[in-house]
Structures are given as C-alpha cells and as structure tokens.
Amino acid sequence: MRAPDHARFRPHTVPPLAPLPREPDVVVVGAGAAGIAAARRLRARGLSVAVLEARDRVGGRTFTTTLRGHAVDLGAHWLHAGPINPLVAFGVARGEPLRRAAQESHLMVGRRKGRPDEAAAYGRAFALADRAMTGGAGRDGPDRPAAFALPPGLGPWGRRVALVHGLVSGRPLAEVSLHDFPSMEYGDNFFIAGGYGAYLARLARALPITLGAPVRVIDWSGAGVAVDVGGRGRIRARAVLVTAPMMVLQDEAAFRFSPPLPPGIRAAIDGFLPGIYEHVVLHWPSAPFRGRDRLAGLTGGRRQPPGLLTRVDGTAFHYFELDRPMTAALDAAGAGPDGARRLTRAVLTDHVGSGRLGDLAIPAVSEWRLDPWSRGSWAVVPPGHAPARDALKEPVGERIWFAGEALSRRQWGTAGGAYEEGERAAEAIAAALAGSRAGEAKRAREPRDPLSRAGEG
Ligand SMILES: Cc1cc2nc3c(=O)[nH]c(=O)nc-3n(C[C@H](O)[C@H](O)[C@H](O)COP(=O)(O)OP(=O)(O)OC[C@H]3O[C@@H](n4cnc5c(N)ncnc54)[C@H](O)[C@@H]3O)c2cc1C
C-alpha cells in the first residue's frame, strides 16, 4: 500500500515527551485523543504508564500541520457537541483559544446564490429529517438502516439531506444503524485557533510516550500482560488499554492477541465498518464566499459536493470534503491524491465556472482510509451492530481494556468522544488495579497456607 498523502506533512506542534517507566502499571496502546486522555488520568490516579505509539507523532486522527504559514488540520477540526465535549470544558478551563462555530452558512443553487425561501426550505428539511432519525419512534423498533427513517416529503432537498448525513456518518445512510444514529448536538460546535491536533499535542506534553513503537502482539496468557513492540522487544504491565482504531484491530495479521480475544469481543470489533471522510484542502483567496468558518451548500449542478467549509479561521483555506462514494470511485480508478484534486476542480467548475479558479491551489489531500494506523476516519456501526460500543467497555480477563471514539455512544466518531472514553477507561483501570492491589496486600498479610497453622505448636 502506498503512503497516504497526509503522512508527508510534519506536525505543527511537537510536545516534549518523558521516557517510559521501567515497570509500568499500565501500557496504553496509541497516543491519539483516547490514549492521551487515559495517560493523563491514570497518572493523576497515581499509576505509572507507558504509552506506545506506532507513528512518529502524537495525536492520531487529530493532526495539525503548517501550510503557507498557517496551522491547518488534516484530521479532526470541529469540536463537536460543545455542551458534552470534555475537550471544550477543559479548553475553557485552560484558557485555550476556542471560538463558537458560526451558525450562518452559504447556499448556492447551480451557479446562483440560493434565495431566502430556498434557504428556509433547506433548513426545514434538515430539521424534519433530524427529528425523524433521532426521535424515539425510530429507536424503539428493530434496528434498520438510518435511510429508512428519512421522512417522505422532504421535497427536492431530500437527496441533499441524505448526502450530508451520509458524509458526517462516514457511510451512506443505507449502511448505517438507525439505533446508533447520533442524537448529539451538532448545532453547538467550536473551533480552536491553531488547530485541534495542536491542542491534543499540547495535552500530550511531558507524558511518557514512545513514538515509532507499533504494537504487534498482546500476550495475556500469564499474569498481567506482555506487549510486543515490532522489532523493539516487549514490555510487561499489570494491564493494557488498547486505543488503536477498530479497523486496525480487525487485521489480526497486524495486531494479535494471544490467546485470542473471547468470540463476543472479537465479533464486536469485526462488525464495525470503516467510516470515510477526507479533506481536500483548498487555498483559494478569491473564493466567492464571505465570512469566517461558514459551511457552503453547493446544490443543483451536475455534481454536488457533500461538504464545504469555507474561509477556515478567516484565512484563504477551505475544506472540500470527500465522502465514501466519492473515495470509492477514486480508489477504484486508482486515481490517487491528484485524482482527488482533479475531481475537486471539476465539481467547483460546475458551480462557479473555471474563470473563478485562477488562484486555487490544493496543497493537501487526506487519505486516512489508506493509512495503516487508522484505515478509516472513524468506526461506523451497521444496522444490528449497535450494542458493540458498550460490549467493548467490559474488560477482558481483568487486564485488557479498550477505549477510543468507537466506544462512545453519544459522541462516536469524534475526538471529544475518544477523549471521554479514554478518561472512562482510565478510571475503570484505576479502580480495578486498586482493588487487586488491596487484595494482594491483604493476602500478603495473611499466613500463606491457613491450614498449616492448625498443626503448629
Ligand atoms: C478527515 C477527518 C476529519 C475528522 N473531523 C472530525 C471533526 O471535525 N471533529 C471530531 O471530533 N472528529 C473528527 N474526526 C474523527 C476524529 O479524528 C477521531 O474520532 C478521533 O481523533 C479518534 O481518536 P482515537 O484516540 O479514538 O483514535 P486515534 O486518533 O486514531 O488514535 C489511535 C492511535 O493509535 C495508534 N496506533 C494504531 N495502531 C497502533 C499499534 N499497532 N501500535 C501502537 N499504536 C497504534 C495510532 O497511530 C493513533 O495515534 C475526523 C477524522 C478524520 C479522519
């Protein structure tokens, strides 16, 4: 597999890291949002931690690089679900440069600006669809594809609504579980100046993390765990927290448990589908969109882009988003990142005319689906698989825990959800290890073999 295009960029923020302890209580696999959250929380609970990260940088699917002197996210960019996202509350407490996302957006119909009545109808269609998909009725019966819950009568906007929801779900709605459809508050989002990846990198500062350390095998055949790092030996610990993406764990040739995981846990991991959402990063000073951080709905026309975020952070950068059907077509044609660039130009030409693209440059294209350490943008639950997120919260053999975006019920597919899950797992591990340490101490105080005392004296 060729290297994904985004992997050639360097991180904007490189935090200083601490060396690993010799005998950690807990090994954390992965230094993305979940791993960083867990390491911070475990240390706060007095446990020693060793974080093993396969890549040569921290942050996982949050990744800020520098393009033309600006910090630009190549992964997560929105701090979604403000009221319940721990990274928003923590960011406010730390004085991080957060700003609320604009509610205003642009609407284009073909090559003209949408009229107010069209914008109102568009907004109503979204509100109707959201109510139908997140309301109780859809969730009470047996699970179905989320597409079945789209109400009739959305009129000409129905296709657009399905397209946008398919993008933010990671797959077309026909492939997504209705029971799992997020009821999260999309309307109250934040951005952070300097990038989401740079924020997570700041949170990794001084943590004991080793980079370039891909875990290959977790051996839990004896007491505790022995974690094999490709070519660099093994490290033993009392417990392990695995935050590698589900799509990575699905490949047992690359990541193995010995003995194998119980069948229920294996089935929970294997049932997720890779969610696809990719950025084509535009630098386009003369783009016909005014205002900072506004979504643009380009409708009508022959081809509709499912997502476009304009004038990111008030700059000349914009995100043109690719969804699963678009990347599937590009990959089937072997088109590579330049194929994505050509497609983007063709779609924009449809909507604004080629004369307006004179100063358009496309400095970066993300390809998380081809990245061996992510293999997708997030994990999608197909119909019938909704219980998997909670099933994975149970520890295996009291020494293997899982965390990451895929385990979050309310904020799946997000960095905030991953962070919350990392903290949850850390608390569970701390409680379990404290319990087992208390048990060990009690056993140490007791005579080794209570029966032997009967014969004494
Ligand atoms: C293009 C794109 C846009 C997105 N937009 C948003 C957004 O706007 N807002 C939002 O909240 N979310 C967004 N997301 C999703 C968000 O990035 C993820 O949900 C979140 O970052 C996942 O965090 P995590 O800790 O669960 O996993 P990851 O960030 O993937 O962390 C797991 C870590 O494990 C490492 N790893 C993997 N295998 C191994 C191994 N064998 N050994 C050691 N380490 C290993 C990986 O390198 C990685 O660092 C987006 C994702 C993408 C790709």
Side-chain angles (χ1 to χ4, degrees):
M1 204 188 262
R2 70 178 167 80
D5 196 59
H6 61 257
R8 66 191 168 91
F9 295 98
R10 299 313 308 145
H12 170 277
T13 300
V14 178
L17 303 173
L20 301 191
R22 282 182 95 71
E23 291 178 8
D25 291 307
V26 186
V27 165
V28 174
V29 180
I36 291 168
R40 291 175 63 101
R41 185 57 67 90
L42 286 164
R43 277 162 49 103
R45 293 286 173 263
L47 293 164
S48 61
V49 184
V51 184
L52 303 173
E53 168 53 52
R55 292 186 174 104
D56 62 359
R57 61 169 181 82
V58 301
R61 286 170 278 176
T62 67
F63 176 31
T64 308
T65 193
T66 309
L67 298 176
R68 302 182 183 218
H70 292 281
V72 175
D73 283 313
L74 299 182
H77 179 65
W78 298 74
L79 284 85
H80 286 302
I84 58 169
N85 183 336
L87 287 164
V88 170
F90 194 31
V92 170
R94 285 169 50 95
E96 294 284 351
L98 297 171
R99 64 180 185 281
R100 208 170 229 112
Q103 296 288 324
E104 301 85 3
S105 58
H106 303 286
L107 176 65
M108 289 188 68
V109 180
R111 290 197 179 182
R112 68 170 169 82
K113 198 169 173 299
R115 296 187 309 264
D117 61 304
E118 289 169 324
Y122 186 43
R124 269 197 309 276
F126 269 104
L128 264 174
D130 282 359
R131 220 172 306 135
M133 288 198 288
T134 60
R139 291 172 186 244
D140 292 344
D143 200 7
R144 291 176 299 161
F148 285 135
L150 276 180
L154 295 181
W157 302 108
R159 190 174 146 243
R160 175 82 200 157
V161 169
L163 191 69
V164 172
H165 276 305
L167 172 72
V168 297
S169 295
R171 319 260 317 178
L173 291 183
E175 300 173 32
V176 175
S177 155
L178 179 58
H179 281 187
D180 195 59
F181 202 78
S183 50
M184 78 175 161
E185 186 44 76
Y186 269 113
D188 196 0
N189 299 308
F190 289 77
F191 296 116
I192 185 162
Y196 210 165
Y199 175 25
L200 266 300
R202 285 194 289 282
L203 296 181
R205 187 185 170 83
L207 291 177
I209 300 175
T210 288
L211 302 175
V215 169
R216 303 285 183 210
V217 183
I218 294 178
D219 181 343
W220 57 295
S221 55
V225 291
V227 179
D228 258 35
V229 183
R232 296 177 63 161
R234 355 177 77 191
I235 179 163
R236 292 184 177 278
R238 298 168 69 202
V240 62
L241 172 62
V242 181
T243 74
M246 290 297 132
M247 293 74 76
V248 172
L249 300 180
Q250 285 170 356
D251 181 358
E252 290 188 79
F255 199 118
R256 193 161 55 80
F257 291 84
S258 174
L261 291 171
I265 298 292
R266 178 42 66 196
I269 292 171
D270 289 347
F272 286 98
L273 300 173
I276 306 295
Y277 181 107
E278 304 283 12
H279 295 309
V280 178
V281 181
L282 316 181
H283 187 266
W284 189 14
S286 73
F289 307 108
R290 298 286 157 254
R292 178 190 198 186
D293 300 318
R294 295 193 181 177
L295 288 167
L298 305 191
T299 70
R302 271 189 309 135
R303 281 175 292 202
Q304 298 195 11
L308 178 63
L309 180 65
T310 64
R311 302 219 173 263
V312 174
D313 206 3
T315 66
F317 286 100
H318 317 257
Y319 292 119
F320 181 101
E321 317 292 15
L322 302 178
D323 62 7
R324 155 87 188 170
M326 290 166 104
T327 58
L330 288 169
D331 293 345
D338 285 338
R341 289 183 171 90
R342 282 192 295 276
L343 172 68
T344 302
R345 284 180 179 278
V347 174
L348 291 175
T349 300
D350 265 7
H351 289 274
V352 301
S354 57
R356 300 209 63 159
L357 301 185
D359 63 350
L360 169 67
I362 305 184
V365 174
S366 80
E367 296 183 308
W368 297 93
R369 67 197 182 283
L370 306 180
D371 186 322
W373 308 119
S374 56
R375 304 181 188 214
S377 299
W378 52 80
V380 172
V381 160
H385 198 60
R389 299 196 194 277
D390 287 338
L392 289 168
K393 293 189 175 95
E394 290 301 314
V396 175
E398 294 300 319
R399 48 204 190 280
I400 302 173
W401 272 264
F402 294 94
E405 58 81 18
L407 277 74
S408 175
R409 281 308 302 254
R410 293 194 306 166
Q411 302 179 67
W412 57 252
T414 72
Y419 201 87
E420 184 178 57
E421 277 305 304
E423 291 187 323
R424 175 206 54 82
E427 291 292 350
I429 294 170
L433 294 193
S436 72
R437 198 155 258 168
E440 279 161 25
K442 183 161 173 282
R443 278 192 296 281
R445 283 196 304 275
E446 285 168 355
R448 278 197 161 261
D449 177 2
L451 290 178
S452 66
R453 299 184 75 197
E456 276 174 16

